[in-house]
Amino acid sequence: MRRHLMPWMLGGALLLAGATTAEPLRYAEDRAPPIVNPLFTTTMSEARLAELVFEGLFTDDAKLSSTPRLATGLDLAEDRMSAVVRLKPGVTWQDGESFTAEDVAFTVAAMKEESTASTERGRVQFIQEVEVIDDLTVKLTFEREEYAPEDKLHFKVLPAHRFEGTAVKRSDAFRTQPIGTGPYRVKRFNDDNSITLAKFDQYHDSTRIDEITMREVADKNYQSKLLLYESLEALVRVLPRDLATLQADRKVELYPYQTNSWWYVGFQNNRAPFDDERVREALTLLVDIDALLAPIGTGEVVSGPFVTSSPYYNHEVKRPKPDARKAAELLTAAGFAKSGDYWSRDGKPLTLKLTAQENLETAQDVVIALQSQLQSQGIKVEPTFLGTAEWKAKVWRERDFDAVLSQWSFDRSEDVTEQFHSEGKFNFGHYANAEVDALLDQAKDTSDPQAKKALLREVHAKVADDHPMIFLWTLDSYSAISRRVRKVVIHPFYFFTWSREWELK
Amino acid sequence: MLRTLLGRAVLTVSSLVAAATAVQLLLWAAPGDPIDLLPNGAELRPQLEAEWGLDQPVWMRVVTNLGRAATGELGTSLSYRPGTPVTEVLAQPALNSFALLIASLVLALAWSAGLAAFTRGRRQHTSRLVRTLSVAPVFLLAHLCIHGLNEVTWSLMEAGTIARPAWFALPGEASAMRTALAVVLLAVGSGALADMHREAEQALISIRRSGFVDAARARGEPTFLLVARHLTLPLASLAAARTGFLLGGLVVVEKVLLINGAGAILWQAALLRDVPVALGITLMAATTVCAARLAADALRVGIDPRLRSQA
């Protein structure tokens, strides 16, 4: 009898060891998402939560290529002006209703609706018309030729039956009662600002972790402590100064990932003396970027507006090396002379009023190092740190600055039009170059990936040549996750895209 | 009596109006508004300015909000919890903060009265110790306590000396330990205990030296209840005076100890320029301070027969 029991006991033990538990996976955000509606995503914390609750027609696979999620595939017309998307059968919303083509049509209409004022509107501008063919088939007509429309069909689909019309408001009840098709449903918003998500039992795919809790921990330093104390299982982004401590902890695993973000010091190109390209170039040549980067982490110095791993990065454009002699020549040519400790013109020292965001990680360290470098070269630096609201008002709206230290983050499209087109809404530094405008317009109009690559590489070269900003670096990013969480693969932008495979032991 | 009541009513209303006006002016004067915080804020500005009344001059916004608040309408949150009624946003956190306030006030009064009875102007070492303990700012004490406590507990857990306590390092979740810590810190930190002890001690000495206590002592009657009864009045005034001070401390303590209270929300609302939420919290805080003053007055009238006869 004992002999017969042994294999069963052993099997049972193995099963138990491999089984997932009902314990929640807890991760931290600086600030809890105020609303959960992907039409109005304003912060990364909202985007990460939306990734767990909602799904798009397509998503990224592990190689960041598009793979069907709510779709089973698409047939692109020969003229590339339309595509028929076949939807996955048997998908239900978290309230039990069936997912149909009407939901896709509604989502596109709601995103395009003027009065909705969706922050995601740009993602569907390429779609001219949506035609529902049947419950599981939808035809999309495009504004212009599309070569890989699946790459643009990642936007989250919303349930049409939960809205009264396509004019959706941020304040609609859906913000706190979100319904998606994703692996997790919002179980409750807790009094402590945390949000509990429970596994969606009728999910059309598999998922292994039963519950996920988003915890609001405003103090970033305390976040890593909580991970070490086993009060959290995942930290989305580790501060560079915490890397060594977390690396040394045997219960935590660090996961490096590449982000499409780069740091820069942007000049106000229409304000003297920074309207003079020679001054901007001279300042660029006076900065030792490697020395700035070293204390705050590891990464790669960039020479233009793309990350080095981007297909649009122009590797022929060399990053500027510090060159004090050439900088002096340029400043002299621009009418400056070294008098005393500082470069001056008309009796006024060359002063860089540098504005940075308070909550940009390690910005303070960079500003202090930059100040020290430039002051030693005769440039006066006056730093100012602004809170988010003040930053948005001064820099984004009023564009009232000499120079800003900041970073841009992009999704897979890496569209820099708004940053460098003379009419771009994020072109705060008033950079203007007709050739760059034309190249960006052409890149936007073309759907041919090769042509787009060539055009944007040229943009890289021309922008680097104009020095509208000092391009700094793309930082290596790390997530820290408890070793109790297995099979972890992290999406560099949305974090939870592949969390269905994660297991919590 | 009527004049006193009228005077108090005028003082209360003017305090509420002043606090509500001041917080609005401060937030409107600060650079940036809730629309700036939206990624497509520039595009939405005309629509949202009209919807939220931001296209009106500042004085009109202030007057409109005051008028609405007078009818009990606090509006909806703009950026902290967009679209959620302020009353809903604040219901639970305000209760949490109120409980913390009352508990810390009671604790501070009890400790200061107890210490005053012990020192009575004589035990200088004890008074000095109280001053030393109490002099540290609340935020510093809170950081030291929470991190010190966590580190020590974690070391003991790692060494296998203790099992993981339920309260340990859980952000947000209700925790008796963190609540107790907040109450103690508020009652002690930023000079609270030292100030209250000093004032309670002075009141106690003055009462003990008064003629009616000497008379009672001469008659051989016990003086404890007599002194305690007369000490109630200065303690009530002290409590009323300290309420506003403790409310200020709540903002810091709730933020550091990750307690979901109105103070922590006020901090966020100010950063996010959410005027309705900030206004709601300010009005609640001002009402609490005014109510504490009125309660202290009522207690004085109730206890002191001379005040009743004057009335």
Side-chain angles (χ1 to χ4, degrees), chain A residues 305-331:
Chain A
F306 300 102
V307 296
T308 49
S309 57
S310 163
Y312 311 131
Y313 190 87
N314 190 335
H315 289 274
E316 284 170 20
V317 178
K318 298 297 167 207
R319 46 178 281 211
K321 298 274 181 194
D323 187 342
R325 203 162 63 179
K326 191 176 174 196
E329 285 169 16
L330 287 163
L331 287 174

PDB file of all heavy atoms in Angstrom, chain A residues 305-331:
ATOM      1  N   PRO A 305      17.784  62.696 -32.451  1.00  0.00           N
ATOM      2  CA  PRO A 305      16.508  62.485 -31.761  1.00  0.00           C
ATOM      3  C   PRO A 305      15.956  61.053 -31.806  1.00  0.00           C
ATOM      4  O   PRO A 305      14.742  60.876 -31.835  1.00  0.00           O
ATOM      5  CB  PRO A 305      15.575  63.443 -32.505  1.00  0.00           C
ATOM      6  CG  PRO A 305      16.108  63.488 -33.880  1.00  0.00           C
ATOM      7  CD  PRO A 305      17.580  63.319 -33.777  1.00  0.00           C
ATOM      8  N   PHE A 306      16.805  60.058 -31.827  1.00  0.00           N
ATOM      9  CA  PHE A 306      16.341  58.669 -31.764  1.00  0.00           C
ATOM     10  C   PHE A 306      17.277  57.885 -30.848  1.00  0.00           C
ATOM     11  O   PHE A 306      18.428  58.281 -30.653  1.00  0.00           O
ATOM     12  CB  PHE A 306      16.345  58.026 -33.161  1.00  0.00           C
ATOM     13  CG  PHE A 306      15.453  58.739 -34.139  1.00  0.00           C
ATOM     14  CD1 PHE A 306      15.992  59.591 -35.092  1.00  0.00           C
ATOM     15  CD2 PHE A 306      14.071  58.583 -34.092  1.00  0.00           C
ATOM     16  CE1 PHE A 306      15.173  60.279 -35.983  1.00  0.00           C
ATOM     17  CE2 PHE A 306      13.245  59.268 -34.977  1.00  0.00           C
ATOM     18  CZ  PHE A 306      13.794  60.123 -35.925  1.00  0.00           C
ATOM     19  N   VAL A 307      16.773  56.782 -30.331  1.00  0.00           N
ATOM     20  CA  VAL A 307      17.663  55.938 -29.519  1.00  0.00           C
ATOM     21  C   VAL A 307      18.532  55.110 -30.470  1.00  0.00           C
ATOM     22  O   VAL A 307      18.153  54.884 -31.615  1.00  0.00           O
ATOM     23  CB  VAL A 307      16.856  55.008 -28.574  1.00  0.00           C
ATOM     24  CG1 VAL A 307      16.073  55.830 -27.577  1.00  0.00           C
ATOM     25  CG2 VAL A 307      15.915  54.090 -29.340  1.00  0.00           C
ATOM     26  N   THR A 308      19.664  54.680 -29.976  1.00  0.00           N
ATOM     27  CA  THR A 308      20.648  54.046 -30.884  1.00  0.00           C
ATOM     28  C   THR A 308      20.121  52.749 -31.499  1.00  0.00           C
ATOM     29  O   THR A 308      20.541  52.355 -32.577  1.00  0.00           O
ATOM     30  CB  THR A 308      21.959  53.745 -30.137  1.00  0.00           C
ATOM     31  OG1 THR A 308      21.624  53.088 -28.922  1.00  0.00           O
ATOM     32  CG2 THR A 308      22.725  55.008 -29.829  1.00  0.00           C
ATOM     33  N   SER A 309      19.178  52.100 -30.816  1.00  0.00           N
ATOM     34  CA  SER A 309      18.650  50.847 -31.360  1.00  0.00           C
ATOM     35  C   SER A 309      17.540  51.081 -32.379  1.00  0.00           C
ATOM     36  O   SER A 309      17.035  50.135 -32.985  1.00  0.00           O
ATOM     37  CB  SER A 309      18.108  49.979 -30.214  1.00  0.00           C
ATOM     38  OG  SER A 309      17.118  50.707 -29.507  1.00  0.00           O
ATOM     39  N   SER A 310      17.178  52.331 -32.582  1.00  0.00           N
ATOM     40  CA  SER A 310      16.070  52.637 -33.490  1.00  0.00           C
ATOM     41  C   SER A 310      16.502  52.459 -34.947  1.00  0.00           C
ATOM     42  O   SER A 310      17.638  52.777 -35.308  1.00  0.00           O
ATOM     43  CB  SER A 310      15.638  54.080 -33.270  1.00  0.00           C
ATOM     44  OG  SER A 310      14.860  54.538 -34.356  1.00  0.00           O
ATOM     45  N   PRO A 311      15.589  52.014 -35.806  1.00  0.00           N
ATOM     46  CA  PRO A 311      15.946  51.932 -37.238  1.00  0.00           C
ATOM     47  C   PRO A 311      16.171  53.321 -37.834  1.00  0.00           C
ATOM     48  O   PRO A 311      16.774  53.443 -38.893  1.00  0.00           O
ATOM     49  CB  PRO A 311      14.720  51.260 -37.863  1.00  0.00           C
ATOM     50  CG  PRO A 311      13.605  51.432 -36.885  1.00  0.00           C
ATOM     51  CD  PRO A 311      14.236  51.504 -35.543  1.00  0.00           C
ATOM     52  N   TYR A 312      15.689  54.342 -37.157  1.00  0.00           N
ATOM     53  CA  TYR A 312      15.809  55.698 -37.696  1.00  0.00           C
ATOM     54  C   TYR A 312      17.083  56.398 -37.220  1.00  0.00           C
ATOM     55  O   TYR A 312      17.373  57.517 -37.636  1.00  0.00           O
ATOM     56  CB  TYR A 312      14.586  56.543 -37.289  1.00  0.00           C
ATOM     57  CG  TYR A 312      13.276  55.845 -37.552  1.00  0.00           C
ATOM     58  CD1 TYR A 312      12.283  55.763 -36.580  1.00  0.00           C
ATOM     59  CD2 TYR A 312      13.034  55.227 -38.778  1.00  0.00           C
ATOM     60  CE1 TYR A 312      11.089  55.098 -36.820  1.00  0.00           C
ATOM     61  CE2 TYR A 312      11.852  54.556 -39.027  1.00  0.00           C
ATOM     62  CZ  TYR A 312      10.884  54.493 -38.041  1.00  0.00           C
ATOM     63  OH  TYR A 312       9.718  53.830 -38.291  1.00  0.00           O
ATOM     64  N   TYR A 313      17.815  55.764 -36.330  1.00  0.00           N
ATOM     65  CA  TYR A 313      19.040  56.385 -35.815  1.00  0.00           C
ATOM     66  C   TYR A 313      20.099  56.394 -36.922  1.00  0.00           C
ATOM     67  O   TYR A 313      20.385  55.364 -37.538  1.00  0.00           O
ATOM     68  CB  TYR A 313      19.559  55.609 -34.606  1.00  0.00           C
ATOM     69  CG  TYR A 313      20.677  56.314 -33.875  1.00  0.00           C
ATOM     70  CD1 TYR A 313      20.408  57.240 -32.883  1.00  0.00           C
ATOM     71  CD2 TYR A 313      22.013  56.053 -34.182  1.00  0.00           C
ATOM     72  CE1 TYR A 313      21.431  57.890 -32.210  1.00  0.00           C
ATOM     73  CE2 TYR A 313      23.041  56.702 -33.523  1.00  0.00           C
ATOM     74  CZ  TYR A 313      22.743  57.619 -32.542  1.00  0.00           C
ATOM     75  OH  TYR A 313      23.753  58.260 -31.875  1.00  0.00           O
ATOM     76  N   ASN A 314      20.673  57.548 -37.149  1.00  0.00           N
ATOM     77  CA  ASN A 314      21.677  57.684 -38.208  1.00  0.00           C
ATOM     78  C   ASN A 314      23.071  57.511 -37.593  1.00  0.00           C
ATOM     79  O   ASN A 314      23.601  58.436 -36.968  1.00  0.00           O
ATOM     80  CB  ASN A 314      21.539  59.077 -38.855  1.00  0.00           C
ATOM     81  CG  ASN A 314      22.363  59.208 -40.105  1.00  0.00           C
ATOM     82  OD1 ASN A 314      23.362  58.496 -40.269  1.00  0.00           O
ATOM     83  ND2 ASN A 314      21.956  60.101 -40.989  1.00  0.00           N
ATOM     84  N   HIS A 315      23.635  56.336 -37.797  1.00  0.00           N
ATOM     85  CA  HIS A 315      24.923  56.040 -37.162  1.00  0.00           C
ATOM     86  C   HIS A 315      26.087  56.794 -37.807  1.00  0.00           C
ATOM     87  O   HIS A 315      27.196  56.783 -37.283  1.00  0.00           O
ATOM     88  CB  HIS A 315      25.172  54.528 -37.178  1.00  0.00           C
ATOM     89  CG  HIS A 315      24.270  53.790 -36.235  1.00  0.00           C
ATOM     90  ND1 HIS A 315      24.561  53.622 -34.908  1.00  0.00           N
ATOM     91  CD2 HIS A 315      23.055  53.233 -36.428  1.00  0.00           C
ATOM     92  CE1 HIS A 315      23.577  52.965 -34.313  1.00  0.00           C
ATOM     93  NE2 HIS A 315      22.644  52.724 -35.222  1.00  0.00           N
ATOM     94  N   GLU A 316      25.811  57.417 -38.955  1.00  0.00           N
ATOM     95  CA  GLU A 316      26.886  58.205 -39.583  1.00  0.00           C
ATOM     96  C   GLU A 316      27.075  59.559 -38.885  1.00  0.00           C
ATOM     97  O   GLU A 316      28.094  60.211 -39.067  1.00  0.00           O
ATOM     98  CB  GLU A 316      26.567  58.419 -41.058  1.00  0.00           C
ATOM     99  CG  GLU A 316      26.821  57.158 -41.877  1.00  0.00           C
ATOM    100  CD  GLU A 316      26.300  57.276 -43.279  1.00  0.00           C
ATOM    101  OE1 GLU A 316      26.084  58.406 -43.745  1.00  0.00           O
ATOM    102  OE2 GLU A 316      26.093  56.209 -43.888  1.00  0.00           O
ATOM    103  N   VAL A 317      26.064  59.955 -38.138  1.00  0.00           N
ATOM    104  CA  VAL A 317      26.192  61.218 -37.396  1.00  0.00           C
ATOM    105  C   VAL A 317      26.943  60.912 -36.108  1.00  0.00           C
ATOM    106  O   VAL A 317      26.486  60.122 -35.284  1.00  0.00           O
ATOM    107  CB  VAL A 317      24.803  61.809 -37.058  1.00  0.00           C
ATOM    108  CG1 VAL A 317      24.944  63.105 -36.253  1.00  0.00           C
ATOM    109  CG2 VAL A 317      24.008  62.045 -38.326  1.00  0.00           C
ATOM    110  N   LYS A 318      28.101  61.514 -35.977  1.00  0.00           N
ATOM    111  CA  LYS A 318      28.925  61.219 -34.801  1.00  0.00           C
ATOM    112  C   LYS A 318      28.533  62.138 -33.651  1.00  0.00           C
ATOM    113  O   LYS A 318      28.213  63.312 -33.863  1.00  0.00           O
ATOM    114  CB  LYS A 318      30.427  61.396 -35.117  1.00  0.00           C
ATOM    115  CG  LYS A 318      30.911  60.442 -36.190  1.00  0.00           C
ATOM    116  CD  LYS A 318      30.789  58.999 -35.742  1.00  0.00           C
ATOM    117  CE  LYS A 318      30.974  58.035 -36.915  1.00  0.00           C
ATOM    118  NZ  LYS A 318      30.292  56.751 -36.728  1.00  0.00           N
ATOM    119  N   ARG A 319      28.578  61.583 -32.466  1.00  0.00           N
ATOM    120  CA  ARG A 319      28.267  62.394 -31.289  1.00  0.00           C
ATOM    121  C   ARG A 319      29.375  63.426 -31.072  1.00  0.00           C
ATOM    122  O   ARG A 319      30.557  63.135 -31.312  1.00  0.00           O
ATOM    123  CB  ARG A 319      28.120  61.515 -30.053  1.00  0.00           C
ATOM    124  CG  ARG A 319      29.216  60.499 -29.912  1.00  0.00           C
ATOM    125  CD  ARG A 319      29.071  59.699 -28.677  1.00  0.00           C
ATOM    126  NE  ARG A 319      29.550  60.461 -27.547  1.00  0.00           N
ATOM    127  CZ  ARG A 319      30.115  59.915 -26.475  1.00  0.00           C
ATOM    128  NH1 ARG A 319      30.244  58.606 -26.381  1.00  0.00           N
ATOM    129  NH2 ARG A 319      30.530  60.665 -25.482  1.00  0.00           N
ATOM    130  N   PRO A 320      29.006  64.631 -30.682  1.00  0.00           N
ATOM    131  CA  PRO A 320      30.035  65.663 -30.512  1.00  0.00           C
ATOM    132  C   PRO A 320      30.930  65.362 -29.311  1.00  0.00           C
ATOM    133  O   PRO A 320      30.448  64.946 -28.256  1.00  0.00           O
ATOM    134  CB  PRO A 320      29.223  66.933 -30.270  1.00  0.00           C
ATOM    135  CG  PRO A 320      27.869  66.477 -29.853  1.00  0.00           C
ATOM    136  CD  PRO A 320      27.664  65.100 -30.359  1.00  0.00           C
ATOM    137  N   LYS A 321      32.204  65.534 -29.508  1.00  0.00           N
ATOM    138  CA  LYS A 321      33.167  65.336 -28.400  1.00  0.00           C
ATOM    139  C   LYS A 321      33.492  66.696 -27.801  1.00  0.00           C
ATOM    140  O   LYS A 321      33.501  67.697 -28.532  1.00  0.00           O
ATOM    141  CB  LYS A 321      34.463  64.711 -28.931  1.00  0.00           C
ATOM    142  CG  LYS A 321      34.272  63.342 -29.550  1.00  0.00           C
ATOM    143  CD  LYS A 321      34.340  62.279 -28.488  1.00  0.00           C
ATOM    144  CE  LYS A 321      34.161  60.906 -29.120  1.00  0.00           C
ATOM    145  NZ  LYS A 321      33.885  59.871 -28.144  1.00  0.00           N
ATOM    146  N   PRO A 322      33.783  66.764 -26.524  1.00  0.00           N
ATOM    147  CA  PRO A 322      34.121  68.062 -25.932  1.00  0.00           C
ATOM    148  C   PRO A 322      35.321  68.692 -26.643  1.00  0.00           C
ATOM    149  O   PRO A 322      36.314  68.010 -26.918  1.00  0.00           O
ATOM    150  CB  PRO A 322      34.478  67.712 -24.483  1.00  0.00           C
ATOM    151  CG  PRO A 322      33.863  66.392 -24.227  1.00  0.00           C
ATOM    152  CD  PRO A 322      33.820  65.675 -25.536  1.00  0.00           C
ATOM    153  N   ASP A 323      35.194  69.948 -26.984  1.00  0.00           N
ATOM    154  CA  ASP A 323      36.257  70.627 -27.712  1.00  0.00           C
ATOM    155  C   ASP A 323      36.236  72.115 -27.312  1.00  0.00           C
ATOM    156  O   ASP A 323      35.539  72.926 -27.940  1.00  0.00           O
ATOM    157  CB  ASP A 323      36.024  70.448 -29.222  1.00  0.00           C
ATOM    158  CG  ASP A 323      37.184  70.984 -30.056  1.00  0.00           C
ATOM    159  OD1 ASP A 323      37.975  71.776 -29.513  1.00  0.00           O
ATOM    160  OD2 ASP A 323      37.286  70.616 -31.245  1.00  0.00           O
ATOM    161  N   ALA A 324      36.972  72.436 -26.271  1.00  0.00           N
ATOM    162  CA  ALA A 324      36.928  73.792 -25.712  1.00  0.00           C
ATOM    163  C   ALA A 324      37.475  74.815 -26.700  1.00  0.00           C
ATOM    164  O   ALA A 324      37.001  75.960 -26.745  1.00  0.00           O
ATOM    165  CB  ALA A 324      37.711  73.840 -24.405  1.00  0.00           C
ATOM    166  N   ARG A 325      38.473  74.396 -27.508  1.00  0.00           N
ATOM    167  CA  ARG A 325      39.086  75.361 -28.428  1.00  0.00           C
ATOM    168  C   ARG A 325      38.103  75.782 -29.527  1.00  0.00           C
ATOM    169  O   ARG A 325      37.911  76.951 -29.797  1.00  0.00           O
ATOM    170  CB  ARG A 325      40.352  74.770 -29.054  1.00  0.00           C
ATOM    171  CG  ARG A 325      41.300  75.864 -29.535  1.00  0.00           C
ATOM    172  CD  ARG A 325      42.663  75.378 -29.751  1.00  0.00           C
ATOM    173  NE  ARG A 325      42.692  74.356 -30.820  1.00  0.00           N
ATOM    174  CZ  ARG A 325      43.794  73.761 -31.231  1.00  0.00           C
ATOM    175  NH1 ARG A 325      44.931  74.039 -30.651  1.00  0.00           N
ATOM    176  NH2 ARG A 325      43.775  72.869 -32.196  1.00  0.00           N
ATOM    177  N   LYS A 326      37.419  74.769 -30.081  1.00  0.00           N
ATOM    178  CA  LYS A 326      36.452  75.097 -31.133  1.00  0.00           C
ATOM    179  C   LYS A 326      35.289  75.905 -30.543  1.00  0.00           C
ATOM    180  O   LYS A 326      34.774  76.832 -31.184  1.00  0.00           O
ATOM    181  CB  LYS A 326      35.926  73.806 -31.786  1.00  0.00           C
ATOM    182  CG  LYS A 326      35.131  74.082 -33.041  1.00  0.00           C
ATOM    183  CD  LYS A 326      34.688  72.828 -33.752  1.00  0.00           C
ATOM    184  CE  LYS A 326      33.775  73.211 -34.922  1.00  0.00           C
ATOM    185  NZ  LYS A 326      33.018  72.115 -35.418  1.00  0.00           N
ATOM    186  N   ALA A 327      34.898  75.546 -29.330  1.00  0.00           N
ATOM    187  CA  ALA A 327      33.812  76.287 -28.670  1.00  0.00           C
ATOM    188  C   ALA A 327      34.209  77.759 -28.502  1.00  0.00           C
ATOM    189  O   ALA A 327      33.390  78.666 -28.742  1.00  0.00           O
ATOM    190  CB  ALA A 327      33.505  75.659 -27.319  1.00  0.00           C
ATOM    191  N   ALA A 328      35.477  77.980 -28.109  1.00  0.00           N
ATOM    192  CA  ALA A 328      35.956  79.356 -27.924  1.00  0.00           C
ATOM    193  C   ALA A 328      35.898  80.116 -29.246  1.00  0.00           C
ATOM    194  O   ALA A 328      35.497  81.288 -29.288  1.00  0.00           O
ATOM    195  CB  ALA A 328      37.374  79.339 -27.366  1.00  0.00           C
ATOM    196  N   GLU A 329      36.291  79.436 -30.332  1.00  0.00           N
ATOM    197  CA  GLU A 329      36.256  80.087 -31.660  1.00  0.00           C
ATOM    198  C   GLU A 329      34.822  80.477 -32.027  1.00  0.00           C
ATOM    199  O   GLU A 329      34.555  81.571 -32.512  1.00  0.00           O
ATOM    200  CB  GLU A 329      36.801  79.123 -32.721  1.00  0.00           C
ATOM    201  CG  GLU A 329      38.313  78.968 -32.701  1.00  0.00           C
ATOM    202  CD  GLU A 329      38.788  77.801 -33.574  1.00  0.00           C
ATOM    203  OE1 GLU A 329      37.997  77.308 -34.415  1.00  0.00           O
ATOM    204  OE2 GLU A 329      39.935  77.380 -33.386  1.00  0.00           O
ATOM    205  N   LEU A 330      33.894  79.550 -31.759  1.00  0.00           N
ATOM    206  CA  LEU A 330      32.492  79.812 -32.104  1.00  0.00           C
ATOM    207  C   LEU A 330      31.921  80.959 -31.277  1.00  0.00           C
ATOM    208  O   LEU A 330      31.213  81.828 -31.803  1.00  0.00           O
ATOM    209  CB  LEU A 330      31.651  78.544 -31.864  1.00  0.00           C
ATOM    210  CG  LEU A 330      31.845  77.415 -32.878  1.00  0.00           C
ATOM    211  CD1 LEU A 330      31.306  76.092 -32.325  1.00  0.00           C
ATOM    212  CD2 LEU A 330      31.136  77.763 -34.188  1.00  0.00           C
ATOM    213  N   LEU A 331      32.266  80.988 -29.998  1.00  0.00           N
ATOM    214  CA  LEU A 331      31.760  82.060 -29.131  1.00  0.00           C
ATOM    215  C   LEU A 331      32.354  83.404 -29.545  1.00  0.00           C
ATOM    216  O   LEU A 331      31.660  84.427 -29.560  1.00  0.00           O
ATOM    217  CB  LEU A 331      32.072  81.756 -27.658  1.00  0.00           C
ATOM    218  CG  LEU A 331      31.235  80.645 -27.026  1.00  0.00           C
ATOM    219  CD1 LEU A 331      31.716  80.328 -25.615  1.00  0.00           C
ATOM    220  CD2 LEU A 331      29.754  81.034 -26.982  1.00  0.00           C
TER     221      LEU A 331
END
